[in-house]
Amino acid sequence: MTALKINGEVQQVDAPDDMPLLWVLRDVLGMTGSKFGCGIAQCGACTVHLDGQAIRSCVTPLAMAAEGEITTIEKIGDTPVGQRVQAAWLDLEVVQCGYCQSGQIMSAVALLAANPNPSDADIDAGMAGNICRCGTYPRIRAAIKKAATL
Amino acid sequence: MSPRLEAAPPVGRHALSRRAIFKGSALLGGGLVLGALMPRVTKTWAQAAGTPPPIEPPSAFLRIDEDGLVTMIIPSTEMGQGIYTAEAALLAEELDVGLERVSLVAAPPDEKLYANALIGMQMTGGSTSIRAWFLPLRRTGAAARQMLIEAAAGSWGVPPGECITSNGSVSHAASGRMAGYGELAAAAMALPVPSAITLKATDQFRLIGKSLKRLDTPDKVRGKTVYGIDVRLPGMKIGTVASCPVFGGKLKSVDEAAALAVPGVSHVLKLDDAVAVVGDHMWAAIQGMQAAAPVWDGGAFKDMSMEVLVGSMAKAAQSDGLVAHDQNDAPGAYGKAATKLEATYQLPFLSHAPMEPINCTVQVKDGVCDVWVGTQVPTRARMLAAKGAGLAEDKVTIHNYLIGGGFGRRLEAEYVGQTAAFARQVDFPIKLVWSREQDIQHDTYRPYYYDQLRAGLDGQGRIVSWQHKVTGASVYNSYMGGWPADKVDPDAVEGAVETPYAFPAQRVDYVRWDPAPMPISWWRGVGPAHNVFVVESFMDELAHAAKQDPVAFRLPLLEKDPRAKAVLQLLADKSGWSSAAPAGVGRGLSLQLAFGSYVGLVIEASVGEGGLIRVHKATMAIDCGFVVNPDTVRAQMEGGLIFGLTAAMYGQITIEGGRVQQNNFNDYRMMRIDEAPVIDIHVVASEAEPGGIGETGTTAAFPALANAVFAATGKRLRKLPLSPVDLGAA
């Protein structure tokens, strides 16, 4: 059993140490807000926070995740920055199919937490790891700027 | 456990009680259930609006609970395009309710009730949802409203004409009486559906034409939306699939013992051409599949390469083919032309790569089959599930979910049949999730096209002859089967025959060439995503050959189509077309009439070292007729454009050794935020018949970018994707 600190609670997980956190979340704990997109850290759909840093849970082994505190999309709205990002996302209707947006929001929150007033270049650098097939990039850019002002 | 669990979770502001969830093909409980008021024949906007609607047998689009909660059964699948909100607005507008008391559920498979009138099937695709449902859903809402008024007037003993409705209630001013829809629903349901239905005039709309907040997005930003891939059922196991990497090949052997030795793996299931490894979680399935190390017999396609495929197409393109359009002897006019131009364009195979990889959950038990899946085609999914499960269609229940990206991929349901064929081998529910590699290597691909263009100009640089020969696969044949060899595939020439232009002489030919067993299908933008690239690229070539400005060159050809002309003029104005482009930047133009909408696009792009293209800005002008949700139109234009630019710059699936060479997002690249241009959209206010929108931005992107690259570099690229190698050599 591995003790996983997740969204402020400790969960005992019966899974191998090398199992990627994404599958622990989705298939063991039933937390399906984090998404599978590529499995090789190319698309960012699986992004969660480990000690506040955006990480790709599809390539992060359980053992590594257990060394810190995990935050997922299910509870990011409880943080002030998360709340602002979600509000801006809804205000500007960023979302289309929505499948990548858990990861987009987690990356955006990590970006804003580290850099409260990001420039276009900062946004590009912070968000280029997250693919959106619906093409919501212009609205993501605008929503991050908006969230910075809320 | 019961094999029949709940249907797809509903969407809406109002927390829906379990009793109101739509199940199977019947609604639970009482309340008003209203039939679809489908026009049998699609007419023009004006004609249809004035025609009394024929009444279909009662069915379910609307349900009003005793507490006034309105449940809407939405006929189109939500895959990000905003259709749930738009179709809910159509119903709610005429019913006279606010969207805050509305819940939405997916329509179950039922061709009779939910067939899209423009397609003739229960399908969400081809940018047809608003075009097909604009009137039927409004009529349904309006009929329900009239029935509620009748019920109120009857119980109060007052003339119906003196009653008014407002946000979910009926009132009678003279007597001061008022009743909520919930109280009236049971009595209203007992009344006949009115034959004369009065629709609101457009100036009475409260919801239609307004940028409404989407009903599906609040859950999506909180990670609460359940997509097909998120389904969890008691006793369910999770697996992954490997199909023979060579199209048409078979499974030879698999190391079952090694797979079963992986902790968490419980089953190795086999089909003729595929393996599923199933276990407690995806990690076990992935490792189990590696251990299983399936061995394949590639079969006849195993030596196929792009060189052979394209060589074979080029050879086929020399034959005459079928005449798709023949007006005023274009070959004859070409012979007499002062200037003659010829060009060959090639477009690659493309994968859809929606962010939600292909997945399906099936349980086959006790002679019934349940399918949990996001699909654009519920009846097709049911038919294929029945086939895979070896059951009759009426033993199959489809639970449809919101889709994490469709783009045409979920118009196919072969994976539903495959999952059912695996699931019938066990008695518990299995969720099969494809790896991204499986998703890309076993897609149903946009076909390769090989197009030959030929045009003649007169001494003044005016087009006197336009000839276009398309060589490519028939998607109609692959999708429906049995498309006659002597009949032109309408998809293959869509956008080639009907252009915005009045050519004095025009001929379009079609040579059918099929890459089977490689599977092909619809891809966002369908026929026009191929033909608009070719037509608009060649128009640009002709304009330059005539030494004319590309806008000025097109305008005289638009004299008979004022909407096209207005869009082009608006585009020229808003894009600053007549001003000089920034240094090193080229401006490229495209104009199209597709899906009932006019779209003009100007791209500003530059080409840097190594032939790397940078897209700086996109300006769009669009006339898509009457707009239901303006913000959704913009969102679809933005997203469609980026989808098209992505493919124009990076998209190609190639074949070597009979198998797809691309694997994942590392080698099937997507545009990312740091490459996305600034997008400026101008929508023409219009009361014309609504046009389609979802595919138009994609279609426009290819030629506008190619023309911008030409403007920036002088290099004409006639092959997609626009290759840095070709540009670097410029």
Side-chain angles (χ1 to χ4, degrees), chain A residues 35 91 93 133 137 141, chain B residues 213-214 230 352 671 673:
Chain A
K35 302 303 187 196
D91 193 45
E93 287 292 0
R133 278 296 267 159
Y137 301 131
R141 195 176 280 145
Chain B
K213 286 290 170 193
R214 283 177 58 153
D230 300 323
H352 303 82
M671 178 173 267
I673 196 170

Side-chain angles (χ1 to χ4, degrees), chain B residues 424-440:
Chain B
R424 71 188 288 188
Q425 302 175 34
V426 297
D427 65 356
F428 49 84
I430 55 173
K431 172 162 77 177
L432 297 185
V433 177
W434 290 16
S435 66
R436 178 57 65 187
E437 290 80 5
Q438 172 80 5
D439 182 280
I440 284 180

Side-chain angles (χ1 to χ4, degrees), chain A residues 25-42:
Chain A
L25 293 173
R26 291 182 55 80
D27 294 347
V28 179
L29 299 174
M31 298 169 65
T32 55
S34 305
K35 302 303 187 196
F36 167 54
C38 68
I40 58 167
Q42 284 283 313

Side-chain angles (χ1 to χ4, degrees), chain A residues 20 23 26-27 35-38 40 42 86 90-91 93 96-99 128 133-134 137 139 141, chain B residues 79 213-214 220-221 227 229-230 232 282 352-353 355 436 631 635-636 638-639 664 670-673:
Chain A
W23 307 119
R26 291 182 55 80
D27 294 347
K35 302 303 187 196
F36 167 54
C38 68
I40 58 167
Q42 284 283 313
Q86 286 173 335
L90 288 174
D91 193 45
E93 287 292 0
Q96 293 188 29
C97 91
Y99 191 82
R133 278 296 267 159
C134 297
Y137 301 131
R139 292 187 187 218
R141 195 176 280 145
Chain B
M79 44 196 168
K213 286 290 170 193
R214 283 177 58 153
K220 286 177 174 177
V221 304
Y227 300 85
I229 202 168
D230 300 323
R232 292 169 60 81
M282 189 68 172
H352 303 82
M355 289 310 296
R436 178 57 65 187
D631 189 60
Q636 284 299 295
E638 292 159 8
N664 202 319
M670 300 298 143
M671 178 173 267
R672 293 172 183 271
I673 196 170

